[in-house]
Amino acid sequence: MAMSVNGSAPAEVDVVVVGAGFSGLYMLYRLREQGLDAVVFDEASDVGGTWYWNRYPGARCDVPTVDYAFSFDPRLERDWTWSEKYATQPEILAYLQHVADRYDLRRDIRFGTRVSAAAWDEAARRWRLRTGHGDEVTCQYYVMASGCLSLPKTPDIEGVDRYRGEVYLTGRWPHDRVDFSGKRVAVVGTGSSGIQCIPLIAREATRLTVFQRTPNFSVPAHNGPPPADRLARLAADRDGYREAARWSRGGIPMEITDVSGVTAPEDVRRQRFEAAWQAGELFAILGVFNDQGINPVSNELVAEMIREKIRAIVGDADTADALCPKDHPFGTKRPCLDSGYFETFNLPHVRLVDLRRTPIVAITEDGIDTTGESFEVDAIVFATGFDAMTGPLVSVSVSGMDGVTLKDKWEHGPATYLGLMTAGFPNLFMITGPQSPSVLSNMVVSIEQHIDWIADCLRRLREDKIDRIEPTPLAEAGWVRHSQDCADITLYPRANSWYMGANVPGKPRVFLPYIGGVDAYRRACQEVTENGFVGFRLDGPAGSRCNDGVIRRLQPDVAMVLDLMASLELPPMETMSVADARAFIEALAAERPPGPDVGEITDGVLPGPAGDLGYRLYRPPSAGPHPLIAYFHGGGWVLGSQDSDDPFCRDLCARTGAVIVSVNYRHAPEHRFPAAADDAFAAAGWIAANAAALGGIPGPLTVAGWSAGGNLAAVVCQLARDAGGPEIAGQLLLTPVTDADLGRPSYSANGEGFVLTAALMRWFWDHYAREPDRAQPKASPLRGTLAGLPPAVVVTAEFDPLSDEGGAYAEALASAGVPVRHIRARGHVHTSLTMVDAVISGAPVRAEMAEALGSFWPEPVLG
Ligand code: FAD
Ligand code: NAP
């Protein structure tokens, strides 16, 4: 039973929860359900969290309120009716007060109480917490439901304490109504808070001056009654609707478009944008095109259409221009939903001060001085934002194992497992912590998911007599890397946003939330528990167990491609006829992005040992001559042509500034071993001999190839060395076939489910070479003599049956004294590195490859 200290705080409980917003309230509800003894602390004098503190005029949600509400109890939903599409702060606060009363939650909440410190006591296996009142409370589990946007940033402007007028902070707004009538008011900050309050303050103030450092994208909310279509869907099938939200990308059921901004015709672009603008919903405007979050060209289309709207609304051209965001891709800072924001600047008593032109010098006793002017004002409203996500967590002195504090551990950025826990801090849970979808989603859906996961976890721990849970460093590092991988394929890290910690001086620059989607995230959390708490160490009186591991190892876009392919339920290629397999490859090629532009592409023929061979030449736009690369395509010696690797060759040409000659050699089974190898060798000789005519720098030739083409490039190097020419500058072997031994561990580890399967590889070999021929170095270059070969760049992919033989070739070359650069493509499969513009995470690997190729050539000749 809970005991009270100072008549208010219990001394010992099962669980302490910090925060009484959406998160703390639902957490308490679920803990009680399990019969756990819990207490909630909040600095505030009532429930509500965000909706308790942010009482500024115009404060509303920016996710439609019917979605921004609890779903755990159908009766709660039935009994509560929202009055608007986007409810106001008082209405959302009233809802949370209703929740607290309805489930009798207040009796376990201590208001006006800040938790200031928490220390893990390993011997007792309990947390010791200290409150601002000096009370100590111990608990087995400690839940930080302290919010992502609950610690306002103190205005970091010179002279702020000197000012004698009224000062307001949007995130700490007074409870009594503030009347701006007859006053000259300054608002500093034009994020969501500023954009919401500016139109309302303008209604009262005699003069309003808005100090804007960075203009923000904003779209009209078109507020009104809750949307009838949503209400109808909920009425028809509440459970289905809520379940769809839980498995959606952002926490709201939405159709995801497959329209690309880059390829859509202009009328389709306009029509889609206009529909999203009229919808007045963030997820609609963030989803006009399927590629606007990753492709700068597509993003700029949406950005420019929003700027057109701003210019059409705002009368004064200079003001309109200053209000147009230009320094970040659309969506990479949280866009705003407004009600008459841009229109406000048409009012005669409202003025915009562009701090990029005339920065603030200081706040004075009477107002604000910029480099251009002094502004006397009666009140300043700071809408300057929050120390988001990590701020509320590290502002408490939390010390875990060996006394290490969270602040120290996260000095260079937060590290969590699933955003739920962090290694070294046993039994500490975070609700919507860093590296969880949190602020990129409808937060109520994410809050419920976290709390359900934690409640389920605590139940299982009790059933299994476990009293200590902690993520492992391996699992945590894997999740941090995955979260970063997800961000890196998007445009988000390009902005100086609070998502990146960029709004707080000195804060580490890392992308804080998880951008892989609510659905993908939920799946990962489920898999962790279903597979025996992967990545957690569990201890109890009966012993310890740990199923250590990394829950997501594939690059996120590679995983998406694999999911898509799995959903198509295609027949395995090795069950097809050769003709069907070739047709299938050609059909796939027709669907892919074309790759970058290069200076010129021409087709030609060159003499081969048994007739002409087709080739395609890619020339950089700059004046030549350029380094010259003979390239051999992939396809298991059976499939492909100079068409099949076209985007990759364009990319190689664009990145290296080299002329690429992509050779189409003879294919098996019509022409078995050694036809392809002989063709490749002859082609290399011809290309080297005709370097000048092809626009290349005469002299040593570079050879390159992917997969079976990598095999041919390696073979060409051995044949050229043995024959005394042509002279080879270097070899690029991308996920090459180097040996006919199909028994290497990567064949079993990666033999299924990663596009190139062990079975397909066997099919390729069977078509290409008779068993007895396969041992020859001309088929299995790993078995040849490697001394005296040209320098090599060998690229292996982590989830490729061929990764071991590629790695073995790199090692064997190095042992033979050949300079080798081995690039390991983490999270990639055999085919993903050549999927130019479709698998974005391949681009940095190709950049590294191109940079490594530069070392083959005397001086960099970039196009
Ligand atoms: P909070 O509501 O932030 O509650 C955390 C509580 O913890 C606070 O009351 C705080 O006082 C308390 N606390 C923190 N540290 C301590 C401590 N050490 N000791 C004691 N108490 C502590 N999200 C959306 O999805 N849709 C929206 O439309 C939306 N609109 C928003 C509008 C505004 C103005 C803001 C600021 C945020 C908005 N958000 C929105 C994000 C919003 O924060 C979440 O949706 C949600 O309210 C968070 O709930 P929470 O309980 O996790 O955290
Ligand atoms: P914010 O988006 O971080 O905006 C802060 C603003 O203050 C920015 O314009 C910033 O400029 C400016 N600023 C900060 N320090 C400044 C300084 N020293 N001098 C001049 N300008 C300065 O904060 P917010 O508006 O409070 O919103 C934070 C988040 O809360 C939102 O992104 C959203 O997630 C949530 N929110 C939602 C709603 C809603 O509509 N439901 C409303 C409010 C908040 P720079 O950009 O140049 O730094």
Side-chain angles (χ1 to χ4, degrees):
M1 271 308 285
M3 294 195 1
S4 280
V5 172
N6 295 343
S8 55
E12 281 185 17
V13 283
D14 296 327
V15 189
V16 166
V17 179
V18 178
F22 271 99
S23 298
L25 293 178
Y26 182 46
M27 189 76 247
L28 178 59
Y29 172 88
R30 291 297 313 260
L31 292 169
R32 278 217 199 130
E33 234 180 19
Q34 294 195 17
L36 286 163
D37 188 14
V39 66
V40 178
F41 293 105
D42 201 308
E43 275 183 279
S45 64
D46 195 6
V47 299
T50 290
W51 306 103
Y52 169 91
W53 295 108
N54 291 268
R55 297 166 187 250
Y56 59 85
R60 293 174 186 275
C61 52
D62 59 6
V63 161
T65 331
V66 290
D67 296 290
Y68 187 65
F70 284 126
S71 70
F72 65 87
D73 182 352
R75 286 162 307 170
L76 169 65
E77 283 197 57
R78 194 192 53 216
D79 295 349
W80 186 270
T81 309
W82 294 105
S83 66
E84 287 182 278
K85 177 181 174 188
Y86 297 108
T88 57
Q89 172 270 330
E91 189 171 357
I92 303 172
L93 180 60
Y95 169 76
L96 290 170
Q97 288 167 337
H98 167 76
V99 169
D101 294 338
R102 183 180 180 112
Y103 303 105
D104 187 22
L105 299 175
R106 288 177 201 274
R107 67 183 153 90
D108 287 323
I109 307 178
R110 304 293 175 268
F111 294 111
T113 309
R114 176 171 167 75
V115 169
S116 51
W120 173 249
D121 180 341
E122 177 67 16
R125 291 203 171 166
R126 289 180 79 77
W127 280 97
R128 295 186 183 286
L129 272 65
R130 186 157 291 281
T131 73
H133 302 311
D135 298 333
E136 191 180 285
V137 184
T138 78
C139 55
Q140 188 180 359
Y141 298 105
Y142 165 34
V143 181
M144 292 289 271
S146 45
C148 295
L149 294 160
S150 57
L151 185 64
K153 208 174 71 132
T154 39
D156 47 354
I157 304 175
E158 154 68 19
V160 73
D161 297 330
R162 208 181 309 156
Y163 178 64
R164 291 180 308 195
E166 299 165 30
V167 176
Y168 302 99
L169 199 57
T170 48
R172 288 287 180 271
W173 202 261
H175 288 208
D176 294 331
R177 184 178 129 68
V178 178
D179 187 358
F180 290 112
S181 306
K183 292 181 183 155
R184 299 162 301 172
V185 182
V187 175
V188 181
T190 50
S192 302
S193 304
I195 282 178
Q196 281 189 331
C197 69
I198 283 164
L200 285 146
I201 295 176
R203 282 192 202 163
E204 288 181 358
T206 46
R207 195 189 308 152
L208 171 63
T209 314
V210 176
F211 293 83
Q212 170 194 275
R213 191 162 64 185
T214 311
N216 241 319
F217 290 99
S218 186
V219 298
H222 298 302
N223 204 7
D229 56 338
R230 263 201 177 74
L231 291 181
R233 281 178 72 185
L234 268 166
D237 179 12
R238 188 208 82 97
D239 292 349
Y241 185 89
R242 295 301 181 202
E243 195 59 9
R246 291 180 193 117
W247 289 101
S248 66
R249 193 73 58 83
I252 297 182
M254 293 264 305
E255 291 233 339
I256 295 175
T257 181
D258 57 2
V259 175
S260 149
V262 177
T263 55
E266 176 63 9
D267 58 333
V268 173
R269 288 176 183 161
R270 291 261 159 209
Q271 184 203 342
R272 290 194 56 78
F273 171 77
E274 224 21 80
W277 183 266
Q278 291 312 326
E281 291 193 23
L282 283 185
F283 286 120
I285 201 86
L286 287 165
V288 177
F289 305 125
N290 67 353
D291 49 0
Q292 72 189 62
I294 52 173
N295 186 315
V297 175
S298 176
N299 188 286
E300 179 56 20
L301 291 168
V302 181
E304 187 50 28
M305 287 189 273
I306 298 177
R307 288 185 210 112
E308 280 175 17
K309 293 282 188 191
I310 298 172
R311 290 189 198 106
I313 297 169
V314 180
D316 177 68
D318 283 346
T319 306
D321 191 56
L323 285 165
C324 284
K326 297 176 198 94
D327 77 331
H328 61 279
F330 170 65
T332 57
K333 280 183 150 189
R334 189 181 179 91
C336 312
L337 274 188
D338 70 88
S339 297
Y341 174 64
F342 293 115
E343 290 82 348
T344 302
F345 293 93
N346 291 333
L347 299 172
H349 66 294
V350 177
R351 182 172 160 198
L352 182 75
V353 175
D354 181 354
L355 298 180
R356 297 278 176 211
R357 283 195 196 161
T358 53
I360 294 179
V361 178
I363 305 223
T364 64
E365 290 186 350
D366 304 315
I368 300 179
D369 280 0
T370 68
T371 52
E373 234 175 296
S374 289
F375 295 85
E376 271 192 22
V377 289
D378 305 307
I380 304 179
V381 173
F382 288 107
T384 41
F386 299 86
D387 182 352
M389 301 208 69
T390 50
L393 297 167
V394 300
S395 73
V396 175
S397 167
V398 184
S399 57
M401 295 289 292
D402 307 319
V404 174
T405 65
L406 198 54
K407 194 170 180 182
D408 287 344
K409 180 181 171 185
W410 289 2
E411 189 189 352
H412 302 294
T416 74
Y417 187 34
L418 303 164
L420 277 161
M421 297 194 80
T422 184
F425 296 79
N427 293 10
L428 165 61
F429 294 95
M430 293 166 280
I431 313 291
T432 64
Q435 289 131 12
S436 77
S438 56
V439 294
L440 296 176
S441 64
N442 170 4
M443 283 199 69
V444 183
V445 168
S446 290
I447 286 168
E448 284 191 333
Q449 185 266 341
H450 261 194
I451 288 166
D452 290 342
W453 191 94
I454 293 168
D456 184 50
C457 167
L458 295 186
R459 180 184 54 74
R460 284 162 172 244
L461 297 186
R462 271 157 44 116
E463 282 168 7
D464 293 355
K465 305 208 171 1
I466 301 289
D467 56 15
R468 185 185 187 283
I469 177 169
E470 184 190 349
T472 68
L474 176 75
E476 176 169 288
W479 185 256
V480 172
R481 212 169 37 225
H482 171 63
S483 185
Q484 193 59 48
D485 285 344
C486 292
D488 284 347
I489 58 176
T490 73
L491 303 173
Y492 280 69
R494 298 189 186 189
N496 289 324
S497 62
W498 61 259
Y499 296 148
M500 289 291 293
N503 66 330
V504 176
K507 196 165 169 170
R509 284 289 190 98
V510 282
F511 193 73
L512 295 167
Y514 177 73
I515 200 170
V518 165
D519 47 353
Y521 175 79
R522 181 181 290 268
R523 209 172 306 125
C525 290
Q526 271 190 359
E527 282 177 32
V528 163
T529 34
E530 280 165 7
N531 297 318
F533 281 99
V534 178
F536 284 106
R537 185 189 158 86
L538 309 174
D539 301 285
S544 305
R545 64 185 156 99
C546 178
N547 178 13
D548 207 357
V550 170
I551 196 69
R552 289 288 176 264
R553 292 171 60 203
L554 282 166
Q555 290 289 342
D557 45 1
V558 173
M560 277 161 67
V561 169
L562 297 183
D563 285 350
L564 178 73
M565 291 185 74
S567 72
L568 297 175
E569 295 182 0
L570 300 165
M573 217 185 297
E574 66 274 14
T575 63
M576 298 183 190
S577 69
V578 167
D580 285 352
R582 286 176 183 158
F584 174 67
I585 288 290
E586 276 173 30
L588 277 186
E591 298 294 320
R592 68 195 168 178
D597 287 337
V598 297
E600 188 190 16
I601 298 179
T602 52
D603 283 347
V605 288
L606 58 84
D612 282 348
L613 303 173
Y615 72 81
R616 180 163 299 161
L617 184 143
Y618 303 81
R619 197 187 310 287
S622 60
H626 303 93
L628 191 57
I629 300 179
Y631 177 82
F632 306 107
H633 64 78
W637 308 281
V638 176
L639 316 171
S641 67
Q642 63 271 57
D643 285 333
S644 58
D645 294 19
D646 189 68
F648 179 71
C649 288
R650 288 164 174 262
D651 191 78
L652 193 61
C653 174
R655 285 182 192 278
T656 59
V659 167
I660 317 288
V661 183
S662 171
V663 180
N664 193 18
Y665 46 86
R666 281 173 294 159
H667 293 125
E670 297 87 343
H671 306 282
R672 281 162 74 91
F673 172 84
D678 288 341
D679 284 1
F681 182 52
W686 183 87
I687 293 166
N690 292 279
L694 295 168
I697 301 167
L701 174 74
T702 298
V703 293
W706 168 46
S707 189
N711 169 279
L712 298 178
V715 167
V716 165
C717 292
Q718 295 191 12
L719 295 177
R721 176 203 54 197
D722 298 344
E727 201 184 337
I728 308 289
Q731 47 184 326
L732 165 66
L733 312 179
L734 174 59
T735 58
V737 185
T738 69
D739 193 39
D741 174 5
L742 309 191
R744 289 172 199 279
S746 58
Y747 261 89
S748 30
N750 308 323
E752 258 183 70
F754 302 111
V755 187
L756 176 65
T757 61
L760 181 57
M761 207 51 225
R762 202 162 287 121
W763 188 79
F764 283 143
W765 271 113
D766 289 346
H767 282 304
Y768 182 48
R770 294 182 311 119
E771 277 290 347
D773 290 335
R774 294 183 194 178
Q776 293 186 40
K778 215 170 165 178
S780 293
L782 184 58
R783 303 192 193 187
T785 305
L786 304 188
L789 287 176
V793 174
V794 180
V795 184
T796 53
E798 188 179 359
F799 295 96
D800 181 358
L802 307 187
S803 66
D804 283 349
E805 66 195 75
Y809 201 63
E811 266 178 41
L813 285 170
S815 302
V818 177
V820 181
R821 172 115 163 235
H822 182 184
I823 298 172
R824 292 173 178 82
R826 184 176 53 76
H828 279 277
V829 298
H830 184 74
T831 46
S832 52
L833 295 167
T834 55
M835 298 180 75
V836 176
D837 293 340
V839 171
I840 310 283
S841 59
V845 183
R846 291 195 302 276
E848 193 182 343
M849 224 166 66
E851 181 264 320
L853 278 184
S855 70
F856 295 163
W857 306 319
E859 57 196 59
V861 191
L862 290 176

